Amino acid sequence: MKIIDAGVIITAPGRNYVTLKITTEDGVVGWGDATLNGRELAVATYLRDHVCPLLIGRDAHRIEDIWQYLYKGSYWRRGPVQMTAIAAVDIALWDIKGKVAGLPVYQLLGGAARDGVMVYGHASGSSVAEMLDDVAAHLDEGYLAVRAQSAIPGMDKVYGVPPKDGRLYEPASSNVPQEETWETGPYLRFVPTMLGAVRERFGFDVHLLHDVHHRLSPLEAGRLGRDLEEHRMFWIEDPTPAEDQSAFQLIRQHTTTPIAVGEIFNSIWDCQQLITERLIDYVRTSVSHAGGITHLRRIFALADLYGVRTGSHGAGDLSPVSFAAALHVDLSVPNFGIQEYMGHRDPAGEVFRTGYKFENGYMHPGDAPGLGVEVDEQAAAKFPYDPKYLPINRRRDGSMHDW
């Protein structure tokens, strides 16, 4: 079944998304997500100019061969731009294969290993009281797991806390990146108290998560993990920048609080040491940034050998196509842990028609053939690309810090 066309759709229904459309000679269409938040056009160009021409005439059923062709054939391997582009192709080809087979993708991956996928939502507030009310709202909606973030006294802007005007906390600006100020000391003093307030009000039945967002040194991360042990966290996420995988050895020496990392990883090599040395408990690689379903399954299979569970990135900066693909993988792998779920704000629903469902803290991708997501190209054309940058962080002395 030959591919006869491959094209890129850039649309901004609430935020920017890059979507790949692959069409076969039989008229079957597959959709892939190629969104790289803040660098969307880099992937779009890579696809249009370097990848799409190579797909024409290839057999859409040969997913593994096409994956290897695009990965090994470029010579310049890995990196977020290339791996996001390959992921888009891979996801679209799995979508096509499911539609041709008349089966949802998870059935092609071995069938369901569970009845549903537990997801966690994001609760936040400009104060602890406001954050606690947001946690309560999530629990009322049926969530079993909640990520808690709160503004820190004395700091103007804190990751994960939306501004009061209802806008997203990222991306922050269109012309140049918004600059924020960060200091570690107030954060380390405040977070144990903030998360303790969640436990005091809601007890230990709710799964509690917190995102550090790469901002601590390994020793600081170990100290935070130790201070949070009494709160029995589900995990702390991205406690330190993970370019140096061996740094997590130091964190492990100081705390038993579970660690999750990997949303910015794009290959199995980025997390090989973390997994094989059991330096993390959850790997957060995402289907759209780590080479698609084909490569994500390799990462998760390696993790399974070492008792590491999955916890894939699922923020709103990935389109519904990506989220559906993640759910199909989540449903099928034996070592699933949890799935991030932020949802997508309208008017995204005008462009992406989805079949996945949320009920009682769990999600299911649905049983439509393929991924279960279709894209309305006419609706997409109504929402032109809107340039945005992610924020940056500086310390109070003006030096750059990880955002």
Side-chain angles (χ1 to χ4, degrees):
M1 186 173 60
K2 290 184 178 181
I3 297 170
I4 62 168
D5 189 51
V8 177
I9 300 167
I10 304 172
T11 183
R15 65 188 309 160
N16 292 314
Y17 297 112
V18 179
T19 304
L20 177 66
K21 177 184 179 183
I22 295 179
T23 306
T24 71
E25 60 187 339
D26 299 323
V28 181
V29 171
W31 302 102
D33 182 17
T35 307
L36 185 62
N37 194 3
R39 294 294 186 271
E40 300 90 355
L41 298 186
V43 185
T45 297
Y46 189 89
L47 280 169
R48 279 195 186 123
D49 296 343
H50 302 292
V51 173
C52 289
L54 302 178
L55 298 176
I56 307 306
R58 298 195 175 275
D59 185 350
H61 281 310
R62 298 186 63 177
I63 297 176
E64 180 66 39
D65 181 69
I66 291 175
W67 196 98
Q68 296 293 338
Y69 177 79
L70 295 177
Y71 179 77
K72 294 181 177 179
S74 70
Y75 184 71
W76 312 106
R77 301 180 185 178
R78 300 163 58 187
V81 173
Q82 183 196 33
M83 296 304 284
T84 300
I86 292 176
V89 174
D90 187 78
I91 292 168
L93 294 178
W94 279 103
D95 190 25
I96 288 171
K97 189 174 284 288
K99 289 173 177 174
V100 172
L103 293 170
V105 167
Y106 76 82
Q107 294 288 13
L108 304 180
L109 303 179
R114 55 195 48 81
D115 296 328
V117 172
M118 184 170 69
V119 297
Y120 69 91
H122 291 196
S124 64
S126 59
S127 66
V128 172
E130 189 175 292
M131 178 270 295
L132 291 174
D133 288 343
D134 200 14
V135 172
H138 278 78
L139 298 180
D140 289 343
E141 291 175 20
Y143 283 91
L144 305 173
V146 180
R147 191 191 85 172
Q149 313 285 137
S150 175
I152 299 172
M155 295 181 65
D156 293 335
K157 188 82 168 60
V158 178
Y159 170 79
V161 180
K164 289 188 175 182
D165 59 10
R167 294 182 301 173
L168 299 171
Y169 55 82
E170 55 79 18
S173 61
S174 56
N175 297 322
V176 294
Q178 175 180 302
E179 295 196 8
E180 301 174 0
T181 303
W182 171 261
E183 281 300 320
T184 303
Y187 171 82
L188 288 175
R189 292 189 294 270
F190 174 75
V191 168
T193 301
M194 179 266 289
L195 295 172
V198 178
R199 287 301 187 209
E200 182 177 356
R201 178 167 169 180
F202 300 104
F204 287 83
D205 289 336
V206 56
H207 297 302
L208 180 59
L209 305 85
H210 176 71
D211 189 357
V212 184
H213 219 250
H214 321 276
R215 299 191 176 192
L216 303 179
S217 71
L219 191 59
E220 291 166 343
R223 185 187 312 158
L224 177 64
R226 181 198 62 200
D227 291 345
L228 294 178
E229 285 178 4
E230 64 179 302
H231 302 317
R232 296 293 187 267
M233 302 295 295
F234 188 93
W235 76 37
I236 56 172
E237 176 186 337
D238 293 333
T240 193
E243 288 93 339
D244 179 8
Q245 297 183 44
S246 66
F248 286 74
Q249 294 170 345
L250 184 59
I251 303 175
R252 276 291 201 225
Q253 293 169 10
H254 288 85
T255 183
T256 58
T257 293
I259 299 168
V261 71
E263 72 178 45
I264 62 172
F265 291 169
N266 52 73
S267 83
I268 197 168
W269 309 110
D270 296 324
C271 50
Q272 180 188 22
Q273 182 181 3
L274 292 171
I275 290 171
T276 58
E277 296 184 11
R278 295 182 169 91
L279 301 179
I280 59 174
D281 303 280
Y282 297 89
V283 59
R284 300 203 64 246
T285 42
S286 69
V287 66
S288 283
H289 295 157
I293 292 171
T294 297
H295 194 64
L296 188 67
R297 292 176 75 205
R298 290 195 180 97
I299 296 173
F300 290 172
L302 177 66
D304 188 36
L305 294 177
Y306 294 90
V308 176
R309 292 188 170 273
T310 74
S312 288
H313 180 61
D317 61 3
L318 303 176
S319 86
V321 173
S322 176
F323 187 70
L327 290 177
H328 284 278
V329 177
D330 294 336
L331 201 66
S332 65
V333 296
N335 57 325
F336 171 75
I338 200 167
Q339 171 67 53
E340 182 179 23
Y341 175 55
M342 286 184 67
H344 298 87
R345 295 187 176 191
D346 288 333
E350 295 182 34
V351 177
F352 301 95
R353 299 191 299 272
T354 63
Y356 47 74
K357 303 294 183 184
F358 172 82
E359 185 176 8
N360 298 324
Y362 295 88
M363 296 200 72
H364 194 282
D367 289 308
L371 295 175
V373 177
E374 296 297 331
V375 179
D376 186 328
E377 295 181 71
Q378 289 186 334
K382 297 191 302 183
F383 304 102
Y385 175 71
D386 184 18
K388 288 285 191 298
Y389 284 94
L390 290 171
I392 64 168
N393 255 351
R394 291 188 184 273
R395 303 291 293 268
R396 285 175 179 163
D397 66 1
S399 60
M400 286 292 298
H401 191 68
D402 295 287
W403 180 74

